[in-house]
mmCIF file of all heavy atoms in Angstrom:
data_model
loop_
_atom_site.group_PDB
_atom_site.id
_atom_site.type_symbol
_atom_site.label_atom_id
_atom_site.label_comp_id
_atom_site.label_asym_id
_atom_site.label_seq_id
_atom_site.Cartn_x
_atom_site.Cartn_y
_atom_site.Cartn_z
ATOM 1 N N THR F 169 -14.336 -12.426 3.650
ATOM 2 C CA THR F 169 -13.429 -13.578 3.689
ATOM 3 C C THR F 169 -13.157 -14.102 2.291
ATOM 4 O O THR F 169 -12.003 -14.399 1.929
ATOM 5 C CB THR F 169 -14.034 -14.699 4.555
ATOM 6 O OG1 THR F 169 -14.326 -14.201 5.859
ATOM 7 C CG2 THR F 169 -13.073 -15.868 4.670
ATOM 8 N N ILE F 170 -14.207 -14.197 1.457
ATOM 9 C CA ILE F 170 -14.040 -14.682 0.088
ATOM 10 C C ILE F 170 -13.130 -13.744 -0.711
ATOM 11 O O ILE F 170 -12.220 -14.186 -1.433
ATOM 12 C CB ILE F 170 -15.414 -14.818 -0.600
ATOM 13 C CG1 ILE F 170 -16.204 -15.962 0.037
ATOM 14 C CG2 ILE F 170 -15.247 -15.064 -2.102
ATOM 15 C CD1 ILE F 170 -17.633 -16.074 -0.457
ATOM 16 N N ILE F 171 -13.361 -12.437 -0.572
ATOM 17 C CA ILE F 171 -12.543 -11.464 -1.303
ATOM 18 C C ILE F 171 -11.081 -11.554 -0.874
ATOM 19 O O ILE F 171 -10.162 -11.476 -1.698
ATOM 20 C CB ILE F 171 -13.095 -10.036 -1.086
ATOM 21 C CG1 ILE F 171 -14.450 -9.890 -1.788
ATOM 22 C CG2 ILE F 171 -12.119 -8.982 -1.604
ATOM 23 C CD1 ILE F 171 -15.176 -8.607 -1.459
ATOM 24 N N HIS F 172 -10.855 -11.744 0.441
ATOM 25 C CA HIS F 172 -9.477 -11.883 0.929
ATOM 26 C C HIS F 172 -8.809 -13.116 0.322
ATOM 27 O O HIS F 172 -7.640 -13.061 -0.092
ATOM 28 C CB HIS F 172 -9.479 -11.975 2.453
ATOM 29 C CG HIS F 172 -8.114 -12.176 3.038
ATOM 30 N ND1 HIS F 172 -7.155 -11.182 3.061
ATOM 31 C CD2 HIS F 172 -7.535 -13.264 3.617
ATOM 32 C CE1 HIS F 172 -6.051 -11.641 3.625
ATOM 33 N NE2 HIS F 172 -6.253 -12.902 3.961
ATOM 34 N N VAL F 173 -9.539 -14.226 0.258
ATOM 35 C CA VAL F 173 -8.990 -15.446 -0.333
ATOM 36 C C VAL F 173 -8.694 -15.230 -1.820
ATOM 37 O O VAL F 173 -7.668 -15.703 -2.334
ATOM 38 C CB VAL F 173 -9.967 -16.628 -0.133
ATOM 39 C CG1 VAL F 173 -9.498 -17.856 -0.909
ATOM 40 C CG2 VAL F 173 -10.098 -16.964 1.344
ATOM 41 N N VAL F 174 -9.563 -14.498 -2.520
ATOM 42 C CA VAL F 174 -9.330 -14.198 -3.934
ATOM 43 C C VAL F 174 -8.060 -13.360 -4.098
ATOM 44 O O VAL F 174 -7.246 -13.610 -4.999
ATOM 45 C CB VAL F 174 -10.542 -13.466 -4.540
ATOM 46 C CG1 VAL F 174 -10.217 -12.932 -5.926
ATOM 47 C CG2 VAL F 174 -11.747 -14.396 -4.609
ATOM 48 N N PHE F 175 -7.865 -12.360 -3.219
ATOM 49 C CA PHE F 175 -6.628 -11.573 -3.256
ATOM 50 C C PHE F 175 -5.410 -12.472 -3.068
ATOM 51 O O PHE F 175 -4.397 -12.329 -3.762
ATOM 52 C CB PHE F 175 -6.639 -10.502 -2.165
ATOM 53 C CG PHE F 175 -7.484 -9.295 -2.493
ATOM 54 C CD1 PHE F 175 -8.012 -8.513 -1.484
ATOM 55 C CD2 PHE F 175 -7.738 -8.937 -3.800
ATOM 56 C CE1 PHE F 175 -8.790 -7.399 -1.774
ATOM 57 C CE2 PHE F 175 -8.515 -7.834 -4.109
ATOM 58 C CZ PHE F 175 -9.037 -7.055 -3.089
ATOM 59 N N LEU F 176 -5.517 -13.390 -2.104
ATOM 60 C CA LEU F 176 -4.402 -14.291 -1.812
ATOM 61 C C LEU F 176 -4.081 -15.168 -3.015
ATOM 62 O O LEU F 176 -2.911 -15.298 -3.414
ATOM 63 C CB LEU F 176 -4.744 -15.147 -0.597
ATOM 64 C CG LEU F 176 -3.702 -16.179 -0.151
ATOM 65 C CD1 LEU F 176 -2.402 -15.497 0.223
ATOM 66 C CD2 LEU F 176 -4.227 -16.997 1.026
ATOM 67 N N LEU F 177 -5.112 -15.762 -3.617
ATOM 68 C CA LEU F 177 -4.904 -16.621 -4.787
ATOM 69 C C LEU F 177 -4.360 -15.819 -5.970
ATOM 70 O O LEU F 177 -3.511 -16.308 -6.722
ATOM 71 C CB LEU F 177 -6.217 -17.305 -5.162
ATOM 72 C CG LEU F 177 -6.763 -18.323 -4.144
ATOM 73 C CD1 LEU F 177 -8.109 -18.873 -4.614
ATOM 74 C CD2 LEU F 177 -5.774 -19.458 -3.924
ATOM 75 N N SER F 178 -4.830 -14.582 -6.129
ATOM 76 C CA SER F 178 -4.346 -13.735 -7.221
ATOM 77 C C SER F 178 -2.859 -13.434 -7.061
ATOM 78 O O SER F 178 -2.090 -13.487 -8.030
ATOM 79 C CB SER F 178 -5.142 -12.428 -7.273
ATOM 80 O OG SER F 178 -6.509 -12.671 -7.514
ATOM 81 N N ALA F 179 -2.446 -13.108 -5.828
ATOM 82 C CA ALA F 179 -1.031 -12.818 -5.583
ATOM 83 C C ALA F 179 -0.169 -14.055 -5.825
ATOM 84 O O ALA F 179 0.923 -13.966 -6.398
ATOM 85 C CB ALA F 179 -0.843 -12.301 -4.159
ATOM 86 N N LEU F 180 -0.672 -15.228 -5.393
ATOM 87 C CA LEU F 180 0.066 -16.468 -5.642
ATOM 88 C C LEU F 180 0.179 -16.747 -7.133
ATOM 89 O O LEU F 180 1.231 -17.182 -7.616
ATOM 90 C CB LEU F 180 -0.633 -17.633 -4.929
ATOM 91 C CG LEU F 180 -0.539 -17.651 -3.401
ATOM 92 C CD1 LEU F 180 -1.392 -18.775 -2.831
ATOM 93 C CD2 LEU F 180 0.909 -17.793 -2.948
ATOM 94 N N ALA F 181 -0.900 -16.478 -7.874
ATOM 95 C CA ALA F 181 -0.871 -16.695 -9.320
ATOM 96 C C ALA F 181 0.121 -15.754 -9.999
ATOM 97 O O ALA F 181 0.859 -16.162 -10.903
ATOM 98 C CB ALA F 181 -2.277 -16.499 -9.898
ATOM 99 N N ILE F 182 0.155 -14.485 -9.556
ATOM 100 C CA ILE F 182 1.102 -13.527 -10.130
ATOM 101 C C ILE F 182 2.536 -13.960 -9.854
ATOM 102 O O ILE F 182 3.396 -13.943 -10.743
ATOM 103 C CB ILE F 182 0.843 -12.114 -9.566
ATOM 104 C CG1 ILE F 182 -0.488 -11.563 -10.087
ATOM 105 C CG2 ILE F 182 1.976 -11.162 -9.940
ATOM 106 C CD1 ILE F 182 -0.909 -10.262 -9.427
ATOM 107 N N ALA F 183 2.808 -14.367 -8.587
ATOM 108 C CA ALA F 183 4.160 -14.800 -8.232
ATOM 109 C C ALA F 183 4.554 -16.062 -8.997
ATOM 110 O O ALA F 183 5.695 -16.186 -9.464
ATOM 111 C CB ALA F 183 4.237 -15.047 -6.724
ATOM 112 N N TRP F 184 3.611 -16.995 -9.141
ATOM 113 C CA TRP F 184 3.891 -18.237 -9.860
ATOM 114 C C TRP F 184 4.156 -17.960 -11.338
ATOM 115 O O TRP F 184 5.085 -18.502 -11.932
ATOM 116 C CB TRP F 184 2.710 -19.191 -9.690
ATOM 117 C CG TRP F 184 2.897 -20.525 -10.355
ATOM 118 C CD1 TRP F 184 3.809 -21.492 -10.038
ATOM 119 C CD2 TRP F 184 2.150 -21.026 -11.476
ATOM 120 N NE1 TRP F 184 3.674 -22.569 -10.880
ATOM 121 C CE2 TRP F 184 2.662 -22.318 -11.769
ATOM 122 C CE3 TRP F 184 1.101 -20.519 -12.238
ATOM 123 C CZ2 TRP F 184 2.157 -23.094 -12.803
ATOM 124 C CZ3 TRP F 184 0.596 -21.312 -13.269
ATOM 125 C CH2 TRP F 184 1.123 -22.570 -13.534
ATOM 126 N N THR F 185 3.332 -17.090 -11.946
ATOM 127 C CA THR F 185 3.529 -16.728 -13.352
ATOM 128 C C THR F 185 4.872 -16.037 -13.549
ATOM 129 O O THR F 185 5.591 -16.312 -14.522
ATOM 130 C CB THR F 185 2.392 -15.802 -13.830
ATOM 131 O OG1 THR F 185 1.128 -16.433 -13.607
ATOM 132 C CG2 THR F 185 2.543 -15.463 -15.298
ATOM 133 N N ASP F 186 5.228 -15.140 -12.628
ATOM 134 C CA ASP F 186 6.509 -14.441 -12.726
ATOM 135 C C ASP F 186 7.680 -15.421 -12.622
ATOM 136 O O ASP F 186 8.681 -15.275 -13.316
ATOM 137 C CB ASP F 186 6.600 -13.379 -11.628
ATOM 138 C CG ASP F 186 7.901 -12.606 -11.689
ATOM 139 O OD1 ASP F 186 8.118 -11.896 -12.693
ATOM 140 O OD2 ASP F 186 8.706 -12.719 -10.747
ATOM 141 N N ARG F 187 7.525 -16.434 -11.770
ATOM 142 C CA ARG F 187 8.593 -17.425 -11.610
ATOM 143 C C ARG F 187 8.755 -18.270 -12.880
ATOM 144 O O ARG F 187 9.868 -18.644 -13.250
ATOM 145 C CB ARG F 187 8.299 -18.319 -10.412
ATOM 146 C CG ARG F 187 9.459 -19.242 -10.030
ATOM 147 C CD ARG F 187 9.193 -19.930 -8.715
ATOM 148 N NE ARG F 187 10.317 -20.737 -8.300
ATOM 149 C CZ ARG F 187 11.377 -20.288 -7.648
ATOM 150 N NH1 ARG F 187 11.442 -18.999 -7.339
ATOM 151 N NH2 ARG F 187 12.365 -21.082 -7.293
ATOM 152 N N ILE F 188 7.616 -18.549 -13.557
ATOM 153 C CA ILE F 188 7.686 -19.315 -14.797
ATOM 154 C C ILE F 188 8.342 -18.489 -15.906
ATOM 155 O O ILE F 188 9.182 -18.982 -16.662
ATOM 156 C CB ILE F 188 6.267 -19.755 -15.228
ATOM 157 C CG1 ILE F 188 5.727 -20.811 -14.256
ATOM 158 C CG2 ILE F 188 6.284 -20.315 -16.649
ATOM 159 C CD1 ILE F 188 4.314 -21.241 -14.561
ATOM 160 N N LEU F 189 7.953 -17.202 -15.985
ATOM 161 C CA LEU F 189 8.483 -16.341 -17.040
ATOM 162 C C LEU F 189 9.934 -15.948 -16.796
ATOM 163 O O LEU F 189 10.673 -15.679 -17.737
ATOM 164 C CB LEU F 189 7.625 -15.081 -17.171
ATOM 165 C CG LEU F 189 6.181 -15.295 -17.634
ATOM 166 C CD1 LEU F 189 5.416 -13.977 -17.630
ATOM 167 C CD2 LEU F 189 6.164 -15.915 -19.029
#
Side-chain angles (χ1 to χ4, degrees):
T169 304
I170 291 173
I171 291 171
H172 178 72
V173 172
V174 170
F175 282 155
L176 179 61
L177 294 177
S178 299
L180 289 174
I182 291 172
W184 182 66
T185 304
D186 181 65
R187 189 171 184 84
I188 291 177
L189 295 176

